[in-house]
């Protein structure tokens, strides 16, 4: 194996590579970026790795989620606050159902780069580069907007810093009302479309949660503040390696290199080739690293990825995020789990039920069905239960806004509703109500899992 450096990835094939016109300008921006203060600290990265190690043993559960693509124009306080709110609410519901603490990791403060299935896009006979996310180019369909502009790396970095600044303040006790389920917007559960048993179940859960939190509060304000002064971590797809390597540093008092753009970067389904640049870059850093695994992954390749990305088998280091799709999960997942186990590799298994379940309506709109998403989580839980392993977390594309991008759920979104508020720049997200309902349904299923003793 070659020696690793923060630029050794440049000697490997770069899947989804960006073509910049002026390489000197890229170098200058990377140097400027590398001199700015980091977005996260090595201390936080190490702490997250420790928490993920506990999740690998079934003693914690990971909730990871956020936009498919963050954008510079949506770096707005209302959007950030609403996203944090739904995230916190979901995590409380999952703690209640799963009887274990939840690790909250947003797709936030850096989720600006997108892999695309085609490098160019054709509209009315005009062909332009595809939109690769605000880190690379702009969504408007003009040749100027679609030109890869390295200065966007600096813009995104600044916006990530502003986003994180608000998220950190909110996490530090700024969300008193969110801890009270009686303040949540649950009116939609009363709609006719919700079967009575489910409605009763939701009401009971909310009631129990309120009581439990009220009880904690009665014990003394500190206790609730401690419970809810939420630890919150960030993640994004580490797609643009210029951006990631610019902020990859050694840190005093610690060994190794840290990617300080985010706590937990992940490698996408399209860039996880064993001999590619992404695996080369991410094998060298101390951060926990996620890898998306779709139905085409061979079990032996998953084992090789684990060996390459986590050669010491370090607890909490490697997160396998499976995104098989509801149709494939029961046949594609078991061989993977078995191969990884037989090879003695330690990973945290997480289910992304979004990316294998994208469909297109007859009028050409990309969507996902609430039921497919939920069903993939349930089937994934079944597989892990049958094989005696743990599902250690879930990964969603969601927003706190009232968008209409995914169909189904108690809110009753139909294909006809999709055009009403379809706001995503990339994949369809669960809206506030769908996300909250999803957490209720998963919590309900998780409450049947055996309890893992605290150590
Ligand atoms: C994503 O998470 O937005 C994504 C592109 O996922 P995947 O790499 O699994 O397709
Ligand atoms: Co997506």
């Amino acid at each position: 194996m070659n020696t690793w450096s923060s630029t050794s990835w440049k000697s490997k094939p770069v899947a989804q590579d960006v073509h910049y016109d002026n390489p000197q300008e890229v170098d200058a921006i990377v140097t400027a970026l590398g001199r700015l203060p980091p977005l996260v600290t090595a201390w936080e990265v190490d702490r997250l790795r420790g928490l993920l190690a506990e999740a690998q043993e079934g003693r914690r559960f990971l909730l990871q989620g956020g936009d498919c693509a963050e954008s510079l124009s949506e770096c707005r306080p209302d959007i950030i606050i609403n996203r944090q709110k739904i995230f916190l609410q979901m995590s409380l519901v999952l703690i209640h159902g799963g009887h274990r603490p939840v690790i909250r990791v947003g797709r936030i403060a850096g989720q600006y780069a997108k892999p695309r299935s085609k490098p160019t896009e054709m509209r009315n006979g005009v062909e332009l580069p595809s939109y690769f996310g605000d880190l690379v180019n702009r969504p408007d369909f003009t040749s100027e907007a679609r030109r890869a502009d390295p200065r966007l790396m600096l813009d995104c970095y600044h916006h990530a810093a502003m986003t994180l600044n608000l998220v950190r303040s909110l996490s530090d006790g700024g969300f008193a009302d969110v801890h009270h389920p009686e303040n949540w917007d649950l009116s939609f559960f009363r709609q006719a479309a919700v079967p009575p048993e489910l409605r009763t179940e939701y009401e009971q859960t909310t009631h129990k949660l309120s009581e439990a939190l009220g009880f904690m509060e009665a014990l003394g304000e500190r206790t609730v503040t401690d419970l809810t002064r939420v630890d919150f971590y960030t993640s994004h797809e580490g797609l643009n390696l210029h951006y990631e390597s610019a902020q990859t540093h050694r840190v005093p008092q610690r060994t190794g290199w840290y990617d300080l753009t985010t706590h937990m970067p992940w490698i996408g389904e399209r860039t996880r080739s064993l001999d590619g640049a992404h695996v080369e870059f991410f094998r060298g850093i101390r951060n926990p690293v996620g890898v998306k695994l779709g139905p085409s992954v061979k079990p032996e390749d998953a084992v090789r990825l684990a060996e390459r990305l986590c050669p010491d088998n370090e607890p909490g280091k490697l997160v396998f995020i499976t995104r098989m799709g509801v149709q494939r999960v029961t046949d594609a997942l078991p061989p993977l789990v078995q191969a990884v186990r037989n090879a003695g590799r330690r990973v945290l298994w997480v289910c992304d039920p979004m990316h294998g379940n994208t469909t297109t309506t007859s009028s050409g709109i990309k969507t996902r069905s609430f039921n497919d998403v939920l069903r993939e989580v349930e089937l994934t839980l079944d597989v892990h239960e049958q094989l005696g392993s743990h599902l250690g977390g879930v990964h969603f594309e969601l927003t706190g806004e009232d968008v209409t991008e995914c169909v189904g759920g108690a809110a009753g979104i139909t294909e006809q509703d999709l055009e009403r508020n379809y706001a995503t720049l990339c994949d369809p997200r669960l809206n506030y109500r769908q996300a909250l309902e999803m957490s209720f349904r998963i919590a309900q299923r998780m409450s049947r899992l055996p309890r893992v003793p605290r150590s």
Side-chain angles (χ1 to χ4, degrees):
M1 183 86 59
N2 61 325
T3 330
W4 184 90
S5 77
S6 61
T7 52
S8 57
W9 60 272
K10 292 190 179 179
S11 63
K12 305 276 179 174
V14 188
Q16 299 276 329
D17 199 11
V18 179
H19 174 74
Y20 291 108
D21 305 336
N22 182 347
Q24 285 82 32
E25 193 186 3
V26 177
D27 291 344
I29 300 256
V30 165
T31 306
L33 205 48
R35 290 191 183 128
L36 293 176
L39 296 179
V40 303
T41 65
W43 182 89
E44 293 165 338
V45 168
D46 288 343
R47 177 162 159 73
L48 175 61
R49 192 176 343 89
L51 297 175
L52 294 172
E54 292 182 14
Q56 278 172 346
E57 293 167 7
R59 291 192 283 120
R60 289 183 187 269
F61 193 73
L62 170 72
L63 173 63
Q64 188 180 15
D67 286 325
C68 179
E70 279 184 281
S71 73
L72 297 177
S73 61
E74 296 217 324
C75 180
R76 290 194 344 223
D78 52 336
I79 292 184
I80 297 168
I81 290 169
N82 288 340
R83 197 197 295 105
Q84 290 308 99
K85 255 187 195 173
I86 178 62
F87 215 66
L88 183 52
Q89 293 178 355
M90 289 178 83
S91 68
L92 291 177
V93 174
L94 288 172
I95 293 169
H96 181 76
H99 299 287
R100 62 202 86 193
V102 166
I103 311 164
R104 304 169 182 98
V105 177
R107 291 173 59 113
I108 195 172
Q111 178 50 22
Y112 293 114
K114 296 308 300 171
R116 303 315 304 244
S117 43
K118 296 197 197 87
T120 59
E121 183 182 342
M122 184 76 104
R123 284 193 205 171
N124 303 325
V126 179
E127 188 173 21
L128 289 177
S130 297
Y131 167 59
F132 284 93
D134 280 5
L135 193 68
V136 173
N137 59 5
R138 307 308 307 260
D140 300 341
F141 196 72
T142 64
S143 51
E144 180 45 30
R146 293 295 174 91
R147 190 180 65 84
D149 179 356
R151 285 172 307 177
L152 287 170
M153 287 194 266
L154 277 173
D155 281 352
C156 284
Y157 194 77
H158 293 142
H159 282 73
M162 289 188 275
T163 305
L164 201 49
N165 186 47
L166 179 54
V167 165
R168 287 190 190 276
S169 318
L170 292 171
S171 303
D172 207 6
F175 257 158
D177 62 326
V178 179
H179 309 138
H180 291 276
E182 58 274 22
N183 296 338
W184 298 359
D185 171 15
L186 298 174
S187 50
F188 65 99
F189 287 162
R190 289 180 209 115
Q191 283 170 3
V194 182
E197 335 65 84
L198 267 186
R199 195 181 317 157
T200 313
E201 168 90 32
Y202 294 154
E203 277 166 4
Q204 279 174 355
T205 306
T206 336
H207 184 68
K208 282 192 223 151
L209 252 178
S210 290
E211 275 192 348
L213 288 162
F215 177 70
M216 294 287 293
E217 221 155 27
L219 290 179
E221 224 176 303
R222 278 295 319 146
T223 330
V224 153
T225 316
D226 286 347
L227 179 79
T228 49
R229 195 199 56 228
V230 282
D231 270 3
F232 187 85
Y233 297 92
T234 63
S235 67
H236 61 248
E237 177 169 352
L239 187 63
N240 188 321
L241 297 176
H242 297 289
Y243 181 79
E244 303 304 326
S245 58
Q247 266 290 343
T248 296
H249 301 302
R250 282 187 185 281
V251 174
Q253 320 293 342
R254 285 167 203 260
T255 46
W257 293 76
Y258 288 81
D259 179 351
L260 298 175
T261 63
T262 189
H263 299 108
M264 185 185 129
W266 78 83
I267 306 175
E269 166 74 356
R270 296 169 185 80
T271 49
R272 61 171 160 72
S273 153
L274 265 171
D275 302 314
H278 292 81
V279 170
E280 170 60 20
F281 177 73
F282 287 107
R283 83 180 170 90
I285 58 168
R286 297 288 297 127
N287 306 56
V289 169
V291 188
K292 294 286 203 85
L293 298 175
S296 67
V297 70
K298 294 198 192 75
E300 58 273 23
D301 286 343
V303 172
R304 282 200 207 102
L305 277 167
E307 288 165 352
R308 187 75 56 89
L309 290 165
C310 185
D312 305 337
N313 225 2
E314 185 182 10
K317 178 75 176 74
L318 188 60
V319 181
F320 273 175
I321 308 167
T322 60
R323 27 90 86 222
M324 299 298 175
V326 69
Q327 306 295 339
R328 298 294 314 277
V329 61
T330 9
D331 63 273
L333 185 57
L336 223 55
V337 175
Q338 275 157 334
V340 169
R341 189 179 33 213
N342 293 345
R345 306 311 306 186
R346 210 182 251 132
V347 305
L348 177 68
W349 291 103
V350 170
C351 170
D352 162 4
M354 310 301 289
H355 289 89
N357 292 314
T358 314
T359 54
T360 307
T361 65
S362 48
S363 44
I365 305 176
K366 243 206 289 187
T367 190
R368 290 161 171 157
S369 123
F370 179 93
N371 282 346
D372 287 350
V373 170
L374 174 62
R375 192 77 193 122
E376 180 165 349
V377 179
E378 290 172 341
L379 291 171
T380 303
L381 277 160
D382 290 348
V383 166
H384 285 289
E385 211 169 2
Q386 278 152 18
L387 296 177
S389 63
H390 301 291
L391 177 65
V394 281
H395 180 124
F396 290 106
E397 288 185 339
L398 55 85
T399 167
E401 307 303 303
D402 187 21
V403 299
T404 54
E405 296 169 8
C406 293
V407 294
I413 295 183
T414 63
E415 283 194 13
Q416 285 70 46
D417 295 319
L418 291 181
E419 283 180 44
R420 188 153 46 82
N421 191 10
Y422 195 94
T424 183
L425 278 176
C426 200
D427 291 336
R429 302 161 293 178
L430 299 174
N431 67 18
Y432 172 81
R433 294 166 174 199
Q434 290 169 323
L436 191 58
E437 187 181 10
M438 185 64 67
S439 65
F440 273 99
R441 299 293 293 270
I442 296 171
Q444 190 182 34
R445 170 66 181 78
M446 282 180 67
S447 65
R448 304 206 310 264
L449 292 174
R451 297 207 191 176
V452 178
R454 296 274 186 104
S455 61

